[in-house]
Amino acid sequence: MNVTTHSFNRYRSVALSLAVALTACADRDARYELSMRTLAPVAAGNALVYVQPALARATVVDLSQPAPAVRQVAVGDDPVLVQPRVAHDEALVLSRGQRGSAGVAPAPASLTAVTASGATRRWTLGSPFNALSQNGDGRYVMAYFNNSASAGRLLFNPNEVAIVDLDRAAATGNPVVRTVRSFGGVPNGVVFSPTMTVAGEPRTLAVVLSDAYVTLLDLNHPERSEITVRLTLPEDARAIAPAQVVFDTDNATMYLRADQSNDLYVLRLLTVTPESATANDFRPTLNQLAAGVRPADLALFGGATARKLLVVSPGSRDARVIDTVANTTTVVPLDAVASRVLLFNGPSPRSATSELRALLYSTRGVASAVSFVELTDIESRRSQNVETLQLGRVINQALALPERGVVMFGHPSSATGSLSLLDLGRRTAAPIFSEVALESARFDDDRQALWVAPPTGERLGYIELTNFRPGEIRLDAPITDVIPVSGGTSRRVVALHDAADGWITVVDGTDVTRERSRSLRGFLLTALLDEGEAQ
Amino acid sequence: MRSRVLASMVWMGVMAAGGSASAQDRRVDAPWRLSFDVGARWHHDSGLDAFGETRSPPVAGLSFGRDLVGLGDRATLAVDLSWNAESFEGRLRDSMKSRLTAHSMSAGLSLRVRTLWWLEPYARVAAGALYSDMLLTPESDTSQGGALTGDEWTFMGNAGLGVQVTTAAFLGTLRGAFALEGGYQLALSQEMRVHPQALSDEAAQADRLPVMDTSLGTLSQSGGYLRVLLGLRF
């Protein structure tokens, strides 16, 4: 009886084990349940970079060959921002890292540079920044907290910044993490200077803009302390909102314009003897210049020893020429209100000589005329040097192409076309009919053509900027965005279509025909079936 | 209904087993077999998770076989042709419906050894082709792309052990056959490539821009299997 019972139990155990083995199946790989949402793609040279936040992955579509190559590379956890690196064939991906949870280890915030070939470099930032700003040659990038966004952490310091030298590998001292001195505000933006000589040494400065002060950081000497300059008196609680910085690289001076101030702020960087190894060898002095009512734009002109500022102030409907050496101001009344300054070298209808001139215009939808200003002898001739050109329609957008001697203006839709092409030399304006706004227009890298696509249309339009001949091509689906890419001798334009799996059409920029166009579908699913094995 | 048929077949087998010893040695004179099979395969390639919650969906198929030759008193060599299919279906990343259907077509060789006239353990090997067909359909209303589709062939083979039970004759020379077989299927990896599904309007399809395929990676459909065959011998 005992033997029988024992045998029965053994067989039952075997049967149960077999049943469990047969019916058991592995849990589904969690990666197949993550969102496919992507950040807006950017170009990196001749490649297109898509970032999928849930997968912490960048998909690089290399368009250098007729058959695109698709590569996938890992980026830091929780990527929130991707942007092309200035003057380089790379994309920069800012990741906020992972807070950590049950079974998930914390990961620090990081910055990843992704090349067109799919190679990556990564710098650990530490704090979960959400904004990036690059300098003019793409060497330095500053990560900081955008004031409008939440950090997604229990505690964070909104005045913390990290400066990364992208030409150097991650190491001690790169990135430099700092907390900028605060007078109660937080950074609103960052501006980088071009290389300028300060205290006898060429260097790049980062200017952190806050509500009523600016902070200067010497990127060539990141170990040195920052310099904070208050733009208002301590008892003045106004947030004047610094918005624009113009650098005079020859005279170690910077000019600041603030949205809520009628003054310009002049910071001259004077050489001093540093008191310690972490002290700076320059010190700014602050001066204020009256600039009309609500100055909206400024530009520097003139030689190093005769530098002048041209400022437009729509509130007082004038332009002002400020001699920065003599500290004198010349007011130039305007017939048409202006909020933007464009300096250009070119002829005029009365002079074939190419020289520096200015175009003053407004894109605020209030002015239907523009002003040409002859800068030579402007202080003595004043309004005699101003010529007003009526366009007949108010301007709400502008794309300047001074190297081609034209500016393209956008107007509210009208029967006479919604674009104007202003010839800077002849001072004539030709209407161009357009179904799209200029804000969606994209230039080629070499500015050979301007590409536009209506948000729901299947047609991609372009204007060849060598002869201003327009054209269009019909694609197979509505276009959500246009991204020109370049590299080598090829000139291609990529039209993006709405598809979760990824859909682009690559158009040959030199031969815009359907015969020369190709689509690529499903590239965001590349190696989908191998993902589980990779875990 | 199916359980009643199965019960009657088992009952007939048991009744037949109660016969004389000479009857136990009798070879069943029913060389042909047509059967329907159901079962499952237990895949280990996690890439199949892209197509649903389970890697072991039901498998169903048909097979047709014939005894070739008797080997000695108790052994029989048989051949068969089999087809079966399994389908994986699910959601992929909350954005797409995904479906994969795999068809296996094989020729098999089995060696049965008669222990009782109605009970024959056997070993079987088979080789053939595996055809996989996938469909990825966007769920978003705004997506303009339509579905992605792709298919691929590869070689497969399997080996297994089973036991076959044969009933007494009924309706003349017909006999019921029931078999339980387990084993392992080995399939070469398939590189799955997808392209947009063709439009139903031929003119519109001809007007489309050329689209380059995308590789989704490789898929291996090897795995253990268990199948139950229900059929007729005649």
Side-chain angles (χ1 to χ4, degrees), chain A residues 105-459:
Chain A
S110 62
L111 178 73
T112 309
V114 182
T115 68
S117 63
T120 60
R121 297 174 296 143
R122 192 177 299 185
W123 296 264
T124 298
L125 301 179
S127 294
F129 301 106
N130 52 28
L132 285 180
S133 186
Q134 299 178 59
N135 79 321
D137 64 6
R139 176 174 176 181
Y140 296 104
V141 61
M142 181 179 284
Y144 61 100
F145 288 103
N146 186 314
N147 195 20
S148 61
S150 158
R153 297 293 189 276
L154 290 178
L155 297 170
F156 80 101
N157 174 3
N159 286 295
E160 186 180 2
V161 299
I163 303 159
V164 184
D165 182 346
L166 298 173
D167 286 352
R168 292 172 51 216
T172 303
N174 188 37
V176 175
V177 179
R178 303 278 287 273
T179 294
V180 296
R181 192 176 300 124
S182 170
F183 293 115
V186 297
N188 295 325
V190 181
V191 178
F192 290 88
S193 74
T195 301
M196 59 194 294
T197 301
V198 179
E201 178 188 337
R203 65 185 89 192
T204 301
L205 301 178
V207 183
V208 183
L209 308 177
S210 301
D211 284 349
Y213 54 93
V214 294
T215 305
L216 310 183
L217 293 160
D218 184 348
L219 299 185
N220 291 69
H221 300 284
E223 74 284 359
R224 295 179 180 173
S225 61
E226 75 274 15
I227 300 173
T228 303
V229 182
R230 266 199 103 112
L231 302 177
T232 58
L233 296 172
E235 59 271 22
D236 186 349
R238 283 183 306 147
I240 60 169
Q244 185 181 10
V245 186
V246 173
F247 297 91
D248 181 348
T249 56
D250 297 319
N251 295 303
T253 302
M254 58 182 74
Y255 300 89
L256 280 88
R257 181 184 62 79
D259 280 343
Q260 303 301 320
S261 172
N262 292 334
D263 290 339
L264 295 182
Y265 300 84
V266 185
L267 290 176
R268 295 187 196 282
L269 308 179
L270 305 179
T271 304
V272 296
T273 303
E275 296 170 351
S276 67
T278 59
N280 289 286
D281 56 359
F282 66 91
R283 178 173 55 85
T285 63
L286 179 64
N287 190 19
Q288 287 177 244
L289 299 172
V293 179
R294 295 283 163 83
D297 198 6
L298 68 157
L300 272 176
F301 67 98
T305 56
R307 198 74 89 206
K308 293 172 186 173
L309 273 174
L310 177 60
V311 186
V312 286
S313 302
S316 48
R317 208 183 181 97
D318 59 33
R320 288 165 191 247
V321 178
I322 301 172
D323 186 325
T324 63
V325 178
N327 237 356
T328 58
T329 299
T330 304
V331 178
V332 182
L334 299 175
D335 291 332
V337 66
S339 61
R340 300 296 305 273
V341 177
L342 173 68
L343 297 181
F344 65 94
N345 270 298
S348 75
R350 284 171 293 283
S351 168
T353 306
S354 181
E355 59 186 68
L356 191 68
R357 296 181 163 87
L359 173 73
L360 310 181
Y361 59 93
S362 173
T363 55
R364 296 177 177 176
V366 294
S368 57
V370 299
S371 305
F372 286 92
V373 179
E374 304 293 329
L375 295 176
T376 305
D377 299 331
I378 179 67
E379 283 139 312
S380 56
R381 294 175 57 83
R382 301 176 66 176
S383 57
Q384 296 172 59
N385 268 20
V386 178
E387 179 184 343
T388 303
L389 177 68
Q390 289 291 339
L391 300 179
R393 292 159 293 165
V394 296
I395 302 164
N396 55 13
Q397 293 165 321
L399 276 177
L401 293 160
E403 72 275 20
R404 300 206 178 279
V406 296
V407 176
M408 193 172 286
F409 288 120
H411 310 285
S413 293
S414 69
T416 51
S418 60
L419 297 179
S420 291
L421 206 56
L422 176 67
D423 187 320
L424 295 173
R426 295 176 180 170
R427 299 186 181 176
T428 57
I432 294 177
F433 290 89
S434 172
E435 297 174 355
V436 292
L438 275 181
E439 61 196 10
S440 65
R442 301 282 185 274
F443 284 113
D444 283 346
D445 259 11
D446 53 5
R447 293 166 90 89
Q448 294 274 323
L450 182 73
W451 299 85
V452 293
T456 55
E458 295 181 350
R459 292 176 192 276

Side-chain angles (χ1 to χ4, degrees), chain B residues 64-180:
Chain B
F64 183 67
R66 190 184 194 288
D67 293 348
L68 273 186
V69 62
L71 302 174
D73 290 340
R74 294 181 175 274
T76 303
L77 195 63
V79 293
D80 64 77
L81 294 173
S82 290
W83 162 83
N84 62 49
E86 59 185 330
S87 183
F88 304 78
E89 196 159 351
R91 294 183 76 217
L92 176 62
R93 292 182 177 153
D94 286 339
S95 300
M96 309 188 88
K97 291 178 188 165
S98 58
R99 194 185 75 201
L100 175 80
T101 307
H103 299 265
S104 298
M105 287 143 281
S106 62
L109 187 67
S110 58
L111 179 66
R112 300 198 309 271
V113 178
R114 192 172 69 255
T115 54
L116 299 171
W117 72 262
W118 53 273
L119 184 67
E120 295 173 294
Y122 67 89
R124 176 176 178 272
V125 293
L130 176 70
Y131 172 74
S132 298
D133 175 23
M134 68 162 60
L135 184 69
L136 300 170
T137 310
E139 291 185 332
S140 166
D141 292 337
T142 62
S143 180
Q144 305 289 328
L148 292 171
T149 186
D151 56 5
E152 194 67 39
W153 288 87
T154 191
F155 292 104
M156 54 75 67
N158 59 42
L161 296 172
V163 59
Q164 177 175 278
V165 174
T166 304
T167 69
F170 59 93
L171 298 177
T173 58
L174 282 180
R175 290 172 186 271
F178 164 83
L180 180 67

